[in-house]
Amino acid sequence: MISGRATPTAVHVRVPATSANLGPGFDALGLALTLYDDVEVELADSGLWIDVTGEGEETARRGEQHLIVKTFRETYAAIGPAPEPGLRVRCVNRIPHARGLGSSSAATVAGILAARALHPEGAGLTDADVLALATRIEGHPDNVAPCLAGGLTIAWETTAGPRTTRLDVVPGVRPVAFVPEHRLATERARGLLPDVVPHADAAANSGRAALLIAALTARPELLLDATEDRLHQAYRAPAMPESVALVDRLRAGGVPAVVSGAGPTVLALVSAGEVDSIASEVGTSWHIHPLNVDPHGACVQPIDQETRVSGE
């Protein structure tokens, strides 16, 4: 949040990719990654202008239905009475769309944070309000939480709304994303999940999720066991057989690997020295992104010449 200055007329929002579930942490755990979308939002007297470079260039044609614009409008109106402004929106997108890396969560967070920064009464929208609004738009808090806070997050729902807590990941854990060419809608992947699962599988996942928190924050040598899942990945295999096969192949080789979010991206959690050897074994049908854990989450700055978005 911008403080200590007059309300700006333009802001730059940087939002990280995220990986949710992380194996057994279904709808609860999320990790922020060092792959970013950069968004500039500038108030104008009237009209709407959108420019998108990189991933999702075709979304510029959606106008008021563009997710960032739509979220901005909803948030701006919710904060308090103010004339609806014209907008100039410029996006440089690097997060793959519909691949399980939180692209829609990143867009949602960008729209909310831009509206909070640019509205005259935006300071009244608390961080808890931002989480609640982002969760309502997205449907679940597991991706928006790490996008907002960075690091490893645990998110849960209460009668008073969504809550989250953030943890630091132990140094040396290196996320590597294996991104396929094809997309997969979250709705399709979620639609494959059964309404009821065996009690033994639920109990196993509960223990593994607890172990995963310990592994990511203090005991990385436990990551292979800690990332074992029985709750969602196997059920989703018909929608992404290549992804589940890659997860199985990596795990058979001792590499902690999971389906990222709803897929089809595969995420491996390795040490820095293992990245090259894993990449050489996977083949050329995957786009391989060695990343780090983003420690800060979404960042908002007033626009000046040093914070202008570039395509780099």
Side-chain angles (χ1 to χ4, degrees), residues 7-289:
T7 304
T9 59
V11 289
H12 170 203
V13 187
R14 167 164 275 202
V15 281
T18 52
S19 182
N21 301 329
L22 305 178
F26 182 67
D27 278 359
L29 300 184
L31 199 63
L33 306 173
T34 53
L35 182 65
Y36 303 97
D37 285 353
D38 284 288
V39 179
E40 287 183 1
V41 180
E42 182 177 3
L43 301 184
D45 291 335
S46 62
L48 173 63
W49 178 87
I50 305 173
D51 179 67
V52 180
T53 302
E55 292 283 339
E57 289 183 356
E58 71 283 357
T59 63
R61 300 192 296 269
R62 295 178 184 170
E64 290 289 343
Q65 294 305 306
H66 189 282
L67 183 54
I68 291 175
V69 175
K70 188 176 180 180
T71 303
F72 180 97
R73 298 286 193 205
E74 183 175 346
T75 306
Y76 204 82
I79 291 172
E84 185 174 277
L87 294 176
R88 295 178 62 84
V89 180
R90 180 180 292 107
C91 309
V92 175
N93 293 343
R94 305 175 187 86
I95 304 172
H97 284 200
R99 303 299 210 292
L101 288 170
S103 61
S104 63
S105 291
T108 298
V109 167
I112 293 172
L113 294 184
R116 179 168 75 167
L118 295 174
H119 194 288
E121 305 300 326
L125 193 72
T126 67
D127 289 345
D129 294 333
V130 170
L131 177 64
L133 182 55
T135 299
R136 180 170 64 78
I137 293 171
E138 270 293 292
H140 297 276
D142 51 342
N143 276 112
V144 297
C147 187
L148 286 164
L152 169 68
T153 57
I154 310 167
W156 67 100
E157 298 272 8
T158 73
T159 55
R163 298 288 183 267
T164 185
T165 189
R166 180 196 175 283
L167 300 168
D168 288 322
V169 175
V170 66
V173 173
R174 190 84 186 269
V176 181
F178 300 90
V179 183
E181 289 286 351
H182 63 278
R183 299 182 177 189
L184 176 62
T186 300
E187 293 79 7
R188 183 187 173 202
R190 188 168 287 273
L192 293 170
L193 299 179
D195 293 330
V196 177
V197 297
H199 187 277
D201 288 348
N205 258 53
S206 178
R208 289 297 198 270
L211 182 63
L212 180 55
I213 294 168
L216 284 170
T217 58
R219 299 285 302 278
E221 71 274 13
L222 300 176
L223 276 170
L224 183 61
D225 284 345
T227 48
E228 183 181 356
D229 165 71
R230 297 190 195 176
L231 208 58
H232 66 102
Q233 292 182 162
Y235 295 110
R236 289 169 163 169
M240 47 181 161
E242 298 89 352
S243 299
V244 173
L246 177 59
V247 168
D248 291 344
R249 183 151 57 91
L250 289 171
R251 295 185 65 81
V255 178
V258 297
V259 172
S260 181
T265 290
V266 170
L267 190 79
L269 298 168
V270 302
S271 64
E274 294 178 287
V275 174
D276 290 340
S277 61
I278 292 174
S280 65
E281 295 175 5
V282 168
T284 59
S285 60
W286 301 82
H287 296 281
I288 302 172
H289 298 271

